[in-house]
Amino acid sequence: MTSPLDASIEITAYSWVPPFARGLVRDLRIRWVLEEMGTPYAVHLFDRRTAEADTRQPDQPFGQVPAFREGDVAMFESGAICLYLAERSDALLPRAPAARARALSWAVAALNSIEPWVLMVQCVTLFDRDKPGAADFAPTAVERLNARLAQLAAALDDREWLEDSFTVADILMVHVLLSLRRSGILAGHPTLAAYAERGEARPAYQRALAAQMADFIADEATL
Ligand SMILES: N[C@@H](CCC(=O)N[C@@H](CS)C(=O)NCC(=O)O)C(=O)O
């Protein structure tokens, strides 16, 4: 567990998820922001398999992670937490009004225009794939997601990041896109696949990923 003595920030994250979900749990977004800023943090690890025995449930209205605490500030929703933190960084959230407005627009787009379509596909192809109608609807869900991704790729075009410089919006967008890698959907959009790879190549992402992976219980046999 990451617990630097000088950390006033605490994230609640899972200590176990299935292997396919590792790297994709949304506390990674917050860890990535904090690593970009060089801000230390502690992690409260929560095992949802033994949730009832844990006296510290995530302080999150939907029982999910991540949750966040800094002094008397208690937050939930990964996007809100990332934006709250990015306020402290001129790089992650530019001060100039026009650039700031674009970064905020893209941050919300990641969570509100791209992630819902990703979730729809994940529901019918993964989480709820055995439910009635899921298999029938899956091709339509994938088609709708692909249409949205094509628009995103066109907007990104040949730029390195969503706007002139790397911002918190890229953290959110790259992390949303990475959840599509395993399905092969991301590879169908080479512009976006390359963009996600640029995000992953950042040392701060690598540190955040390593920290999340190190916090997971090694395997199911340990319980
Ligand atoms: N919109 C929320 C979504 C949080 C979320 O879906 N968390 C997942 C892990 S990445 C979770 O806790 N899933 C378990 C559950 O929904 O019970 C956010 O961005 O923080």
Side-chain angles (χ1 to χ4, degrees):
M1 187 189 298
T2 315
S3 293
L5 290 174
D6 56 344
S8 59
I9 289 174
E10 183 190 76
I11 301 169
T12 301
Y14 286 141
S15 58
W16 185 89
V17 294
F20 77 84
R22 295 179 183 206
L24 300 177
V25 189
R26 289 169 175 79
D27 59 281
L28 187 68
R29 301 167 182 184
I30 301 162
R31 293 176 190 257
W32 188 357
V33 167
L34 290 166
E35 291 290 350
E36 293 280 354
M37 292 170 38
T39 301
Y41 62 96
V43 183
H44 167 233
L45 291 174
F46 178 79
D47 191 334
R48 58 197 295 245
R49 297 170 302 171
T50 55
E52 280 163 24
D54 196 316
T55 52
R56 285 189 64 204
Q57 305 278 331
D59 187 6
Q60 212 273 10
F62 310 109
Q64 299 177 312
V65 302
F68 172 94
R69 186 169 286 278
E70 183 182 36
D72 59 0
V73 173
M75 293 187 75
F76 57 97
E77 286 296 337
S78 60
I81 299 163
C82 288
L83 289 172
Y84 168 80
L85 291 169
E87 288 279 355
R88 301 167 190 184
S89 159
D90 291 359
L92 292 181
L93 202 48
R95 288 262 174 265
R100 185 183 190 81
R102 294 293 293 183
L104 290 173
S105 298
W106 279 119
V108 175
L111 306 175
N112 205 33
S113 293
I114 303 296
E115 194 164 45
W117 303 99
V118 172
L119 280 169
M120 188 168 73
V121 168
Q122 288 173 339
C123 281
V124 293
T125 62
L126 188 64
F127 306 129
D128 294 320
R129 64 178 180 275
D130 298 332
K131 299 279 163 49
D136 288 342
F137 186 62
T140 303
V142 171
E143 191 184 321
R144 287 187 185 279
L145 172 59
N146 275 324
R148 192 47 63 90
L149 292 176
Q151 291 172 314
L152 176 62
L156 183 63
D157 200 13
D158 60 358
R159 278 202 309 281
E160 189 178 16
W161 307 114
L162 290 166
E163 291 292 327
D164 293 342
S165 61
F166 179 86
T167 70
V168 65
D170 294 296
I171 290 177
L172 293 169
M173 190 67 85
V174 165
H175 196 245
V176 168
L177 293 177
L178 286 174
S179 65
L180 293 168
R181 178 175 281 156
R182 188 169 171 270
S183 66
I185 290 174
L186 185 58
H189 299 271
T191 302
L192 300 181
Y195 166 65
E197 278 171 25
R198 284 194 292 281
E200 282 179 300
R202 292 180 73 86
Y205 172 87
Q206 292 296 327
R207 288 194 297 273
L209 178 64
Q212 188 187 71
M213 297 305 269
D215 278 347
F216 287 128
I217 293 167
D219 61 51
E220 291 148 81
T222 55
L223 267 199

Coordinates of all heavy atoms in Angstrom, one line a residue, residues 14 24-26 29 48 60 63-66 77-79, ligand 1:
Y14 N -9.7 -0.6 -4.6 CA -9.9 -2.0 -4.3 C -8.6 -2.8 -4.1 O -7.6 -2.5 -4.8 CB -10.7 -2.7 -5.5 CG -12.1 -2.4 -5.5 CD1 -12.7 -2.1 -6.8 CD2 -12.9 -2.3 -4.4 CE1 -14.1 -1.8 -6.8 CE2 -14.2 -2.0 -4.4 CZ -14.8 -1.7 -5.7 OH -16.2 -1.4 -5.7
L24 N -7.5 -0.8 -14.9 CA -8.6 -0.1 -15.4 C -9.5 0.5 -14.3 O -10.4 1.2 -14.6 CB -9.5 -1.0 -16.3 CG -8.7 -1.6 -17.5 CD1 -9.6 -2.5 -18.3 CD2 -8.2 -0.4 -18.4
V25 N -9.3 0.1 -13.1 CA -10.1 0.6 -12.0 C -9.8 2.1 -11.9 O -8.7 2.6 -12.0 CB -9.8 -0.1 -10.6 CG1 -10.8 0.3 -9.6 CG2 -9.8 -1.6 -10.8
R26 N -10.9 2.9 -11.6 CA -10.8 4.3 -11.8 C -10.0 5.1 -10.8 O -9.7 6.3 -11.0 CB -12.2 4.9 -11.9 CG -13.0 4.4 -13.1 CD -14.5 4.8 -13.0 NE -15.2 4.5 -14.2 CZ -15.7 3.3 -14.6 NH1 -15.4 2.2 -13.9 NH2 -16.4 3.2 -15.7
R29 N -6.9 6.9 -12.4 CA -7.0 8.3 -13.0 C -6.5 9.3 -11.9 O -5.8 10.3 -12.3 CB -8.5 8.7 -13.3 CG -9.1 7.7 -14.3 CD -10.6 7.9 -14.4 NE -11.1 6.9 -15.4 CZ -12.3 6.8 -15.8 NH1 -13.2 7.7 -15.3 NH2 -12.7 5.9 -16.7
R48 N -13.9 -5.8 -1.7 CA -15.3 -5.9 -1.8 C -15.8 -7.3 -1.6 O -17.0 -7.5 -1.4 CB -15.9 -5.3 -3.1 CG -15.3 -5.9 -4.4 CD -15.6 -4.9 -5.6 NE -17.0 -4.8 -5.9 CZ -17.5 -5.2 -7.0 NH1 -16.8 -5.8 -7.9 NH2 -18.8 -5.0 -7.2
Q60 N -18.7 6.6 -0.4 CA -19.1 6.8 -1.8 C -20.6 6.4 -1.9 O -20.9 5.2 -1.5 CB -18.2 5.9 -2.8 CG -18.0 6.5 -4.1 CD -19.0 6.1 -5.2 OE1 -20.1 5.6 -4.8 NE2 -18.7 6.4 -6.4
G63 N -21.4 3.0 -3.3 CA -20.6 1.9 -2.8 C -19.4 1.5 -3.7 O -18.9 0.4 -3.6
Q64 N -19.0 2.5 -4.5 CA -18.0 2.2 -5.5 C -16.6 2.8 -5.0 O -16.6 3.6 -4.1 CB -18.4 2.8 -6.8 CG -19.6 2.2 -7.4 CD -20.0 2.8 -8.7 OE1 -20.0 4.0 -8.9 NE2 -20.3 2.0 -9.7
V65 N -15.6 2.5 -5.8 CA -14.3 3.2 -5.7 C -14.2 4.0 -7.0 O -14.7 3.5 -8.0 CB -13.1 2.3 -5.4 CG1 -13.4 1.5 -4.1 CG2 -12.8 1.4 -6.6
P66 N -13.4 5.0 -7.1 CA -12.6 5.6 -6.0 C -13.4 6.5 -5.1 O -14.4 7.1 -5.5 CB -11.5 6.4 -6.7 CG -12.2 6.8 -7.9 CD -13.1 5.7 -8.3
E77 N -16.6 10.3 -7.4 CA -16.5 10.5 -8.8 C -15.1 10.9 -9.3 O -14.6 12.0 -9.0 CB -17.5 11.6 -9.3 CG -19.0 11.1 -9.2 CD -19.3 10.0 -10.2 OE1 -18.6 9.8 -11.2 OE2 -20.3 9.3 -9.9
S78 N -14.6 9.9 -10.0 CA -13.2 10.1 -10.4 C -12.9 11.4 -11.2 O -11.9 12.1 -11.0 CB -12.7 8.9 -11.3 OG -13.5 8.7 -12.4
G79 N -13.9 11.8 -12.1 CA -13.7 13.0 -12.9 C -13.7 14.2 -12.0 O -12.8 15.1 -12.1
Ligands
LIG1 N1 -18.6 7.3 -12.2 C1 -17.8 6.7 -11.2 C2 -17.8 5.2 -11.5 C3 -17.1 4.4 -10.4 C4 -17.1 3.0 -10.7 O1 -17.7 2.5 -11.7 N2 -16.2 2.2 -10.0 C5 -16.1 0.8 -10.2 C6 -14.6 0.5 -10.2 S1 -13.8 1.3 -11.5 C7 -16.7 0.1 -9.0 O2 -16.5 0.4 -7.9 N3 -17.5 -0.9 -9.4 C8 -18.1 -1.8 -8.4 C9 -19.6 -1.5 -8.3 O3 -20.1 -0.7 -9.1 O4 -20.2 -2.0 -7.4 C10 -16.4 7.3 -11.1 O5 -16.0 7.7 -12.2 O6 -15.8 7.4 -10.0

